[in-house]
Amino acid sequence: MNYLPLLVCALCSGWSAAFYLPGLAPVSFCEVGSEKENCKSETQLYVNRLDSVESVLPYEYDSFDFCKDEHEKHPSENLGQVLFGERIASSPYKFHFNKNESCALVCTKGYDPNTKTAELDFIKKGIQLNYQHHWIIDNMPVTWCYEVEDGQKYCSPGFPVGCAVTSDGRVKDACVINTEFNKKDTFYLFNHVDITITYHSGREENWDGGRLVAARLEPKSYKHTNVNDLKCEGHPMEIPKDLTGHLEVIYTYSVTFQENNINKWASRWDYILESMPHTNIQWFSIMNSLVIVLFLSGMVAMIMLRTLHKDIARYNQIDSSEDAQEEFGWKLVHGDIFRPPKKGMLLSIFLGQGTQIFIMTFITLFLACLGFLSPANRGALMTCAVVLWVLLGTPAGYVSARMYKTFGGERWKSNVLLTALLCPGIIFADFFIMNVILWVKGSSAAIPFGTLVAILAMWFGISVPLTFLGAYFGFKDRPIEHPVRTNQIPRQIPTQSFFTKPFPGIIMGGILPFGCIFIQLFFILNSIWSHQMYYMFGFLFLVFIILLITCSEATILLCYFHLCAEDYHWWWRSFLTSGFTAVYLFIYAVHYFFSKLQITGAASTILYFGYTMIMVLIFFLFTGR
Ligand SMILES: *[C@@H]1O[C@H](CO)[C@@H](O)[C@H](O)[C@H]1NC(C)=O
């Protein structure tokens, strides 16, 4: 049993490494005419799906009427990428290493008031909802760097399709940089890109060609008039709200290569990550969490000391006066403390599932912390988590079965089946409903049928049998022995004060763990919904450990108070005390939805809450444990 996590760890890291070596090893490029076996001249630009902070639905590049590659290739994607809706395709923007080009034609598209109106409308809708392109070159995002308020540069791994000016003359965020976007009720399309590729030459280090270290881009809008005489200057490309005449859209690009031998290939992601929200806030959040942990630890230690002190004092008293000792508080309930809880079945199932998710999170974060799952490994994090979850059916079955046996449960068959099926079933059903919505909307995030079948196969083919195996061992083991015997007759519970009633206790218990994580949570929600990159796994791992400590300490503390009040129904309560953090998570997610996101439309809202429900359920199981 003890070797299992190690094995999984090795498997997972081995797998992701094997999967990703091609993307992680440096690729060298050579000029046309000097290609060798180890360097090529063609630098292929790939396009990913488009997404928006105002809509949860991502769309494939091909859903829009942009220029398409005639011989379109789709690089193979891993499970995590498919689940996140990433769809990568080759683009018609093809250039050669160290060959500058200016104002090269990509393609032209024509629209008339009564032909292809749906395609144009879709582009307009994309501009309106602020959809962002995500381009990739040499497994590295093409960034758009622009100045934000205080003179700082922000490098975004995406750039918008265009800019919309509303009827009251407002322009969105980054589009204010161009003052020519000023006509009311007009859409401005970015039909030109200036790409700058920086490379590190191997001349001085004796290897051939150059390695790409940065790719930046500036979206531009030009109203080209003549395909045979492209100038790439002048007024922006306007799309009127209502088309009256023929509209010709000409897509162009310029590319310049710049040598920069200071930047290293290995640190080529740094400039993107450095412009992300800063680590000071992270330190603040860690400090904040540490204070809470210290406070709780102090409380626990104090209580322990006080209890011990009293015990010793009482022993001394017994020696001197031989008084009949008067028991009080939690000592009174020792005969009831291990009385099995009501609904032991459900609790044992939750505990089993929680174990599974807990180990999965732990290993995934640990690997991420070691740098196996950096953002350069697209989708690796998700893939690793899913594979681990599937492989960790055994601990779930074991814990659930053993707890159930300890609670004196008889219906072991239902216990095993429910452990394997209940929570994954709920998640899958939620997932499936959302998938139908995505599919109806034609979004790229809709999981293809094949992947859906593969997930089901992994669930029923690997996870379920492993859970059965774990349950078999769990039932074979002796139940956990309790240090004290349980009385035959349950004690009467005295009436409780407001603070020791179950519900207020549970509500209070969740606050402290939530206080530890909410800053971190902001970044995670940002990375999921605002598509910012998340890379501070070291911090996350730390916060994970802190969360663990706070959850257990808060639970111990409240449990102690309740036992002092002679209330011995602690099984469920201790589970729910930490589990209630999930409810705060939900409230925070709702707050985030209304304060930070500008999501519009019913489908997006349903999807947001659908995904949030999944997160909350997983988190509930995780913290509850
Ligand atoms: C491409 O343009 C850049 C910037 O103008 C220049 O430094 C570089 O030498 C050019 N490269 C070639 C091959 O002409």
Side-chain angles (χ1 to χ4, degrees):
M1 274 300 295
N2 290 338
Y3 292 105
L4 193 74
L6 262 181
L7 187 79
V8 171
C9 180
L11 245 169
C12 181
S13 61
W15 195 49
S16 58
F19 216 92
Y20 273 101
L21 268 181
L24 287 181
V27 180
S28 298
F29 293 92
C30 294
E31 282 169 40
V32 183
S34 63
E35 291 104 333
K36 298 213 180 75
E37 223 170 81
N38 57 0
C39 73
K40 53 182 186 175
S41 69
E42 199 179 312
T43 51
Q44 172 69 60
L45 198 138
Y46 288 95
V47 286
N48 204 343
R49 48 105 184 77
L50 285 85
D51 59 22
S52 157
V53 282
E54 289 165 46
S55 163
V56 178
L57 306 167
Y59 284 102
E60 266 183 79
Y61 181 84
D62 287 357
S63 309
F64 293 88
D65 192 33
F66 299 135
C67 300
K68 290 184 182 69
D69 191 8
E70 277 162 32
H71 314 282
E72 195 168 84
K73 293 188 296 280
H74 293 270
S76 64
E77 294 181 353
N78 63 31
L79 185 63
Q81 283 176 295
V82 176
L83 289 183
F84 268 125
E86 294 210 350
R87 300 290 181 274
I88 300 175
S90 58
S91 79
Y93 298 81
K94 293 176 198 294
F95 23 82
H96 293 277
F97 179 67
N98 218 5
K99 188 159 164 261
N100 290 349
E101 277 178 86
S102 77
C103 214
L105 175 72
V106 188
C107 78
T108 60
K109 299 271 177 187
Y111 304 94
D112 282 306
N114 43 17
T115 56
K116 297 215 313 179
T117 45
E119 278 94 333
L120 191 66
D121 283 344
F122 198 66
I123 291 183
K124 281 197 238 170
K125 201 176 141 217
I127 296 176
Q128 180 116 51
L129 287 176
N130 206 5
Y131 268 84
Q132 307 268 324
H133 280 286
H134 294 279
W135 289 6
I136 300 161
I137 197 160
D138 186 29
N139 199 31
M140 168 176 72
V142 182
T143 59
W144 177 33
C145 298
Y146 55 88
E147 282 196 8
V148 285
E149 291 111 56
D150 37 12
Q152 280 188 322
K153 265 211 161 171
Y154 173 68
C155 289
S156 153
F159 68 95
V161 174
C163 293
V165 183
T166 53
S167 48
D168 53 359
R170 274 189 303 122
V171 191
K172 262 175 201 150
D173 304 337
C175 289
V176 291
I177 50 168
N178 193 333
T179 48
E180 270 195 88
F181 298 159
N182 52 17
K183 212 185 262 179
K184 285 175 188 170
D185 265 332
T186 310
F187 299 89
Y188 293 94
L189 179 73
F190 287 131
N191 59 335
H192 174 90
V193 283
D194 278 330
I195 305 174
T196 310
I197 297 176
T198 316
Y199 65 93
H200 183 107
S201 167
R203 215 179 312 109
E204 287 154 27
E205 292 158 36
N206 272 331
W207 41 267
D208 296 314
R211 290 172 182 167
L212 310 191
V213 288
R216 293 189 182 86
L217 150 166
E218 241 181 282
K220 296 272 172 70
S221 184
Y222 294 124
K223 188 164 183 61
H224 304 292
T225 43
N226 189 348
V227 187
N228 301 317
D229 181 28
L230 293 169
K231 292 240 173 54
C232 287
E233 58 185 25
H235 295 298
M237 175 74 220
E238 290 171 7
I239 304 175
K241 195 174 177 203
D242 298 303
L243 204 56
T244 43
H246 179 75
L247 181 80
E248 183 107 320
V249 181
I250 302 171
Y251 290 90
T252 51
Y253 73 92
S254 302
V255 60
T256 42
F257 282 86
Q258 282 178 342
E259 188 175 323
N260 182 338
N261 290 345
I262 301 161
N263 293 355
K264 289 272 187 301
W265 187 88
S267 54
R268 63 182 189 161
W269 280 77
D270 291 3
Y271 84 98
I272 308 172
L273 302 181
E274 270 160 17
S275 79
M276 298 269 146
H278 272 302
T279 38
N280 323 355
I281 309 171
Q282 296 287 326
W283 282 118
F284 169 72
S285 108
I286 301 272
M287 290 313 290
N288 164 43
S289 315
L290 277 178
V291 168
I292 294 180
V293 171
L294 280 179
F295 168 71
L296 278 175
S297 306
M299 289 280 271
V300 171
M302 215 172 70
I303 286 169
M304 294 285 173
L305 277 179
R306 233 185 50 185
T307 323
L308 278 177
H309 197 75
K310 279 220 174 109
D311 277 353
I312 293 165
R314 191 167 303 133
Y315 274 125
N316 293 342
Q317 248 176 22
I318 292 165
D319 278 350
S320 57
S321 64
E322 297 280 320
D323 259 347
Q325 57 176 8
E326 182 99 350
E327 296 262 16
F328 72 99
W330 60 274
K331 298 219 164 80
L332 278 173
V333 291
H334 69 85
D336 293 285
I337 206 161
F338 290 110
R339 189 174 299 289
K342 285 184 213 132
K343 303 242 169 34
M345 169 80 92
L346 200 60
L347 184 59
S348 56
I349 291 166
F350 280 166
L351 285 175
Q353 289 282 322
T355 316
Q356 188 172 7
I357 291 167
F358 170 76
I359 302 177
M360 173 196 91
T361 320
F362 183 81
I363 299 176
T364 311
L365 281 183
F366 185 68
L367 288 177
C369 196
L370 294 182
F372 282 115
L373 312 172
S374 75
N377 281 2
R378 293 173 170 277
L381 188 75
M382 188 74 177
T383 313
C384 188
V386 171
V387 169
L388 275 170
W389 183 84
V390 165
L391 292 181
L392 285 170
T394 315
Y398 180 83
V399 170
S400 172
R402 186 121 187 246
M403 287 316 287
Y404 190 56
K405 199 174 173 189
T406 310
F407 295 155
E410 305 281 319
R411 288 156 40 223
W412 62 272
K413 269 185 206 148
S414 350
N415 174 267
V416 176
L417 270 180
L418 283 174
T419 304
L421 302 181
L422 181 68
C423 296
I426 295 173
I427 291 174
F428 190 81
D430 188 353
F431 193 70
F432 187 78
I433 295 169
M434 286 192 305
N435 210 35
V436 170
I437 298 175
L438 288 170
W439 183 72
V440 168
K441 290 270 172 185
S443 165
S444 80
I447 313 277
F449 187 68
T451 314
L452 216 57
V453 172
I455 293 174
L456 275 179
M458 262 163 63
W459 178 19
F460 284 106
I462 306 174
S463 180
V464 171
L466 281 175
T467 312
F468 287 171
L469 187 75
Y472 171 75
F473 285 120
F475 278 118
K476 236 178 62 173
D477 252 0
R478 277 178 302 120
I480 300 163
E481 300 228 346
H482 299 316
V484 283
R485 257 181 331 118
T486 304
N487 290 346
Q488 287 295 317
I489 307 151
R491 248 183 85 89
Q492 191 82 35
I493 301 172
T495 38
Q496 301 287 310
S497 75
F498 176 74
F499 287 105
T500 48
K501 280 211 181 87
F503 202 58
I506 289 168
I507 293 180
M508 283 187 300
I511 290 180
L512 288 171
F514 180 74
C516 286
I517 57 161
F518 83 100
I519 296 178
Q520 214 39 247
L521 202 63
F522 174 75
F523 287 103
I524 295 175
L525 287 181
N526 254 354
S527 82
I528 297 175
W529 301 117
S530 304
H531 313 289
Q532 289 180 6
M533 244 172 276
Y534 193 85
Y535 63 99
M536 291 167 284
F537 291 110
F539 281 113
L540 193 59
F541 193 63
L542 216 62
V543 170
F544 169 80
I545 305 275
I546 291 174
L547 175 66
L548 210 66
I549 300 173
T550 358
C551 272
S552 27
E553 283 185 348
T555 308
I556 292 173
L557 212 61
L558 283 167
C559 219
Y560 174 79
F561 287 143
H562 287 139
L563 292 180
C564 278
E566 299 174 26
D567 183 353
Y568 53 83
H569 293 310
W570 65 279
W571 284 104
W572 268 105
R573 185 176 296 155
S574 54
F575 182 83
L576 290 178
T577 305
S578 305
F580 205 78
T581 314
V583 176
Y584 289 111
L585 180 78
F586 181 73
I587 296 171
Y588 188 77
V590 172
H591 166 76
Y592 184 85
F593 179 81
F594 287 113
S595 68
K596 289 292 283 184
L597 299 178
Q598 305 117 26
I599 288 178
T600 45
S604 285
T605 312
I606 295 172
L607 285 170
Y608 178 84
F609 285 106
Y611 283 122
T612 307
M613 284 317 287
I614 291 186
M615 279 200 304
V616 168
L617 181 62
I618 291 178
F619 195 75
F620 169 70
L621 292 173
F622 168 79
T623 47
R625 214 199 97 61

